[in-house]
Structures are given as structure tokens and as C-alpha cells.
Amino acid sequence: MNQHKSNLINRRQFIRATSASVAAFHILPGSALQGAERLAANEKLNVAGIGIGSQGGADIDAVAGEGQNVVALCDVDDNYAAKKFAQYPKARRFKDFRVMLDQMDKEIDAVVIGTPDHTHAVIALEAMKHHKHVYCEKPLAHSVHEVRALMEAAGKYKVVTQLGNQGHSFGSICRVCEWVWAGAIGQVHTVHAGCDAFKDVYCQLRNLDKLGQHYEVPKGLDYDLWIGPVPFRPYTPFWVPWNWRGWLPFGTGAIGDWFCHVIDPTFWALDLDAPSTVQAEVSDYDPAKQGLTYPPATKITFEFPARNQRGPVKLVWFDGNNSIPRPKDFAADDKVPGTGAILFGDKGMLMHGSHGGGGCRLLPENVMEQYSGKNAPPEKLSRVKNHHWDWIEAIRTSRQAGSNFGYGGPLTQAALLGAIAIRFPGQTLKWDDQTARFTNNEAANAYVHPAYREGWSL
């Protein structure tokens, strides 16, 4: 058997095993909020934070708030991380995650990763090789190849993983799933979703002509470590420490930042996996000349094949200057979500916002009345305290967390396929998930597994 087929089988086995463990957890009734927060002091987890200046710092605070020990902090930028370093004076400080894992191998149980997208995979994989449990911010990785490598490693090293799409642990996402499964809107055939937030962050066209300007690397920043595995580009303050999400060598734009939040309820409720095709439309954007940054507006259409008892699903993503269109059946006072989704079924619609289907409601109003209050469908999904608690408790009880890499990996992969499609606007890219290749565009396949710079590898 060749290595590719062997890896593919391992990936499939991991997905099945992970899905089974997650299902066994989620179908339990009740809230069951006892557990990790009641651990004795000597039973607490020793956690390290890697990339702590922004969201990673908030994640570390959340883990500490659940009573766990923060024993190490790692960041390439002393200035950006200064407040968090000061907040945890007992934690050992590092710049290089590899040095931290080597020196504190026996003192660390788990790591929280909050670095830019392009370094997620190399850090997460190294942590798993050290048998550390991993909480990684979304998107899980920067390429499809990296996503699959992390999924395989999580199964190989038998660690507990969690993608940082916090809404997966909200009660509202459970309600969305239970409404769909109860048939409240019938068979779902189309989903319109998107994000209209932070347009100036994701599209950096205004700064493209400034990249040739020379800037000295600030004192305290290890820029070579910040660049990590991607091809080297000279330092500029236009992407460090902020705005990197709008630059495609490092981030994945609006779809990378928001897809894992907004599409999570749909992905779970409809049991989606890999799309068969993806096609992007962009506005005021030439990928050949402006491809370093994300477009000002995208419309990306995914076709998901029928699966089990579900028919095919068309998912259309809108971002930037493209908004979710107003359905013709909306009432005059119904407001289309700026960031969120509308699920269309043959019996009605389900509308929600971002992060776990917040503000979810059924349309038309009589459908909402039929499935609310005493008529609400039974709770098939266990409600958890919060996303970080779920990860900690999963470690303590030897189960998988709700948005483990077996679930969060395919969710991220779909977003990354959309990020590839914007480079080939107007073309319908056909995706073969078993071989992890586009069957009709070799140029697109170069973005599935981009090369690392010398000295870096998974």
C-alpha cells in the first residue's frame, strides 16, 4: 500500500473515531456542569500559551478562569505581549515555542495557540509530538494540507483537541441543530451566510503600494520567528502585529476569520463535510496583481453532495461589500443578518447571527410558535458551560471536546477551499476529497499544499 493511501485511511479512521466519541458526548441529556472547576490544586492542568498578544491572551485568561495553572507564556513580540506577561508573573517566558516545549516538556500538559494563521500548524503539530493537548484558534491552519496533517496527528498522538470557534459550546447552536433535526423547516437545500464586519482589516488594497517601503524591525520582535514557515518577506508594520488577516501569505481574510463561527451551526446540523465544487465571484479585484490581499467583496458558492438522509446543499458565502441578499419571503420588519446565516428549507427558514447561531429564530412566525416553549423539540444535545471548560473537562475525563480537530478540520478545510477559489474567480473548481486535489485546475492545487521556506517542516 502506498503512503498516500495509508495516510488517507488513517484520516478516515480518525474522523470516524472522533465523530463517534463526540456523538456519544453530545447526545447525553442535561447540563452536567460539574468537573474540572472542582479539581484539587494538585489536579489542575499546567497550560502554556503561545501567541498571547490578542485572542490568544483572552484564551489563556479563560483557561486560567477555569482554575488551571498558566505555567509558560510564549510570544515573538515582547511589546505586544507585555501586558499578558505582567499578568502572569509566575509563568516562564519564551520567544520560541520549540525551546519552550523542549525545556518544559514534563511541566506542560496542554497548550493554547493564538498566533497568526500561518503558524498554527507548525506549532500545533510540534505540541502534539510532545503529547500535549491542544486548543488552537480558528482557522485551524493556513492550508488544506496542514489541516489534514493536524487531524492525522491528533489521532496518532491521542491528544484532546479543540478549535477556537467558541460558539460551538453555546446553547443556541444546540437549539439550531435540534430545530433542523426536528424538521422545523423541512429539508434544508440552500444556505446564505456571510460577514460584513471589519472590511478595512480584510481588504488591504489601500496599502499594497506601500509594501516597498523600508522599516526597521522593532526592538523586542523576533520577526524571523513571526514569519515562521512561509516564504520570507521584509518586515512592515502593515501586517505586524495587526492587519495580518488581510494579507494572504499570513491570513485568510474574512472567510478564514468568520466561516468557522458563522457556518458552524449549518455544518453541524446538516452533517456537512467536503464540498464537491467551489466557485468564487469577486468585485474590484485582480488576483494576478492584487493577490497579496483579500478582495473587497466576495461571493463564494459551495456545493455539498447529498449525504445519508440529507439531500444536496448549496451554501453561498458573502463578505465585505457583498451582503446576504434579502429573501423575498421576509416580512417587512425582518432584518437580514449582517454577520450570520439564513437556512432555507422546503417548509420555512431559520435565521441566526454569528458565534453559535446567536439570536436564532424560525420564519415565518407561525413556524417559530410551533417549535417554541412547550412545543420546543427535546434536547438531544448536552449543554456545556463554555468552550474552554469543555476542552479542559474533555482532558480530565478522557473524551474528545466538541469542536475537536476531527470536526473543526473539515469545517476549516471548506473555508480554505473558498480562500483558494478567490484566486480563480468565475471558475468552478471541482474538489476530490479522497485525493485532496482539484480535478480540473492544477494551478489551484498549488495552494492546497504550498511550500515552506527552508528550515521549516511539519
Side-chain angles (χ1 to χ4, degrees):
M1 180 180 296
N2 66 41
Q3 187 62 45
H4 171 77
K5 289 185 178 179
S6 176
N7 289 343
L8 180 60
I9 291 173
N10 289 338
R11 185 177 72 85
R12 288 172 177 166
Q13 290 171 342
F14 171 77
I15 293 172
R16 285 198 295 268
T18 303
S19 299
S21 66
V22 173
F25 163 63
H26 278 305
I27 62 176
L28 295 174
S31 297
L33 297 185
Q34 296 77 32
E37 71 271 21
R38 294 168 53 184
L39 295 173
N42 62 352
E43 294 178 296
K44 295 177 180 179
L45 299 175
N46 290 336
V47 182
I50 306 172
I52 59 169
S54 185
Q55 181 58 41
D59 290 328
I60 277 293
D61 289 347
V63 170
E66 294 299 328
Q68 310 312 301
N69 299 321
V70 178
V71 298
L73 296 173
C74 180
D75 202 289
V76 300
D77 190 337
D78 292 340
N79 295 322
Y80 199 50
K83 290 183 179 179
K84 202 56 59 178
F85 282 141
Q87 185 178 341
Y88 296 96
K90 295 182 179 179
R92 289 184 61 184
R93 302 180 187 181
F94 295 87
K95 261 189 163 62
D96 191 325
F97 66 93
R98 297 164 297 188
V99 175
M100 181 191 75
L101 290 170
D102 286 343
Q103 291 188 4
M104 296 190 67
D105 187 27
K106 295 182 180 180
E107 302 170 64
I108 296 172
D109 300 311
V111 301
V112 173
I113 301 169
T115 61
D117 300 356
H118 70 287
T119 54
H120 283 180
V122 291
I123 296 172
L125 189 58
E126 188 66 20
M128 288 190 281
K129 288 178 179 178
H130 282 74
H131 300 280
K132 310 308 175 191
H133 306 292
V134 176
Y135 183 108
C136 184
E137 268 304 322
K138 49 79 213 163
L140 178 57
H142 196 237
S143 75
V144 170
H145 172 75
E146 290 178 337
V147 166
R148 290 176 171 235
L150 294 184
M151 291 172 63
E152 184 176 346
K156 176 181 179 180
Y157 295 107
K158 297 180 174 58
V159 294
V160 175
T161 58
Q162 183 86 303
L163 179 70
N165 54 334
Q166 307 95 314
H168 195 81
S169 295
F170 291 179
S172 52
I173 195 172
C174 298
R175 188 176 305 115
V176 169
C177 290
E178 289 157 359
W179 273 340
V180 171
W181 297 340
I185 61 173
Q187 284 287 325
V188 178
H189 52 80
T190 304
V191 179
H192 287 174
C195 171
D196 65 355
F198 306 114
K199 300 175 186 179
D200 288 342
V201 172
Y202 303 123
C203 180
Q204 292 286 321
L205 287 176
R206 67 193 182 279
N207 290 320
L208 264 178
D209 61 354
K210 302 173 185 176
L211 296 184
Q213 299 173 3
H214 174 74
Y215 295 91
E216 294 293 335
V217 177
K219 185 178 180 180
L221 169 65
D222 189 324
Y223 182 66
D224 188 71
L225 272 178
W226 188 92
I227 286 286
V230 304
F232 187 86
R233 295 177 183 275
Y235 166 80
T236 174
F238 292 111
W239 57 53
V240 184
W242 190 232
N243 285 341
W244 53 264
R245 290 193 183 277
W247 300 100
L248 296 185
F250 314 113
T252 39
I255 195 168
D257 201 13
W258 287 92
F259 191 95
C260 291
H261 288 311
V262 174
I263 303 301
D264 188 12
T266 293
F267 216 82
W268 193 0
L270 300 183
D271 189 26
L272 299 182
D273 191 352
S276 56
T277 67
V278 56
Q279 190 260 348
E281 301 171 42
V282 299
S283 302
D284 302 316
Y285 180 77
D286 181 352
K289 298 178 180 179
Q290 301 166 322
L292 282 179
T293 188
Y294 196 75
T298 76
K299 175 185 177 183
I300 305 173
T301 301
F302 302 83
E303 298 281 359
F304 291 89
R307 190 178 190 190
N308 299 325
Q309 303 303 310
R310 167 184 60 72
V313 175
K314 175 185 287 189
L315 190 158
V316 188
W317 173 267
F318 304 85
D319 65 37
N321 296 327
N322 280 344
S323 301
I324 300 172
R326 183 178 185 83
K328 63 180 180 179
D329 297 331
F330 258 33
D333 57 349
D334 288 330
K335 184 178 179 181
V336 177
T339 299
I342 305 172
L343 286 69
F344 298 87
D346 54 22
K347 295 182 180 178
M349 293 174 283
L350 194 163
M351 181 173 64
H352 65 75
S354 183
H355 289 65
C360 55
R361 55 183 292 224
L362 298 168
L363 298 170
E365 200 61 40
N366 66 304
V367 178
M368 185 71 177
E369 294 172 358
Q370 292 172 20
Y371 287 88
S372 299
K374 64 179 182 180
N375 297 320
E379 292 187 358
K380 293 186 176 181
L381 300 174
S382 179
R383 274 58 170 170
V384 298
K385 182 180 177 182
N386 61 59
H387 208 49
H388 300 86
W389 178 94
D390 178 42
W391 177 57
I392 294 164
E393 185 67 0
I395 296 170
R396 299 302 309 160
T397 58
S398 299
R399 62 166 172 82
Q400 273 298 342
S403 192
N404 64 82
F405 291 179
Y407 173 86
L411 176 62
T412 299
Q413 176 181 265
L416 296 178
L417 292 176
I420 293 174
I422 66 172
R423 300 177 182 274
F424 304 91
Q427 300 182 40
T428 298
L429 303 180
K430 298 179 180 180
W431 178 249
D432 183 339
D433 197 51
Q434 291 196 5
T435 61
R437 293 184 63 81
F438 295 105
T439 61
N440 64 334
N441 191 317
E442 276 303 311
N445 285 322
Y447 295 97
V448 173
H449 185 185
Y452 282 177
R453 69 171 172 145
E454 186 177 356
W456 291 85
S457 64
L458 283 179

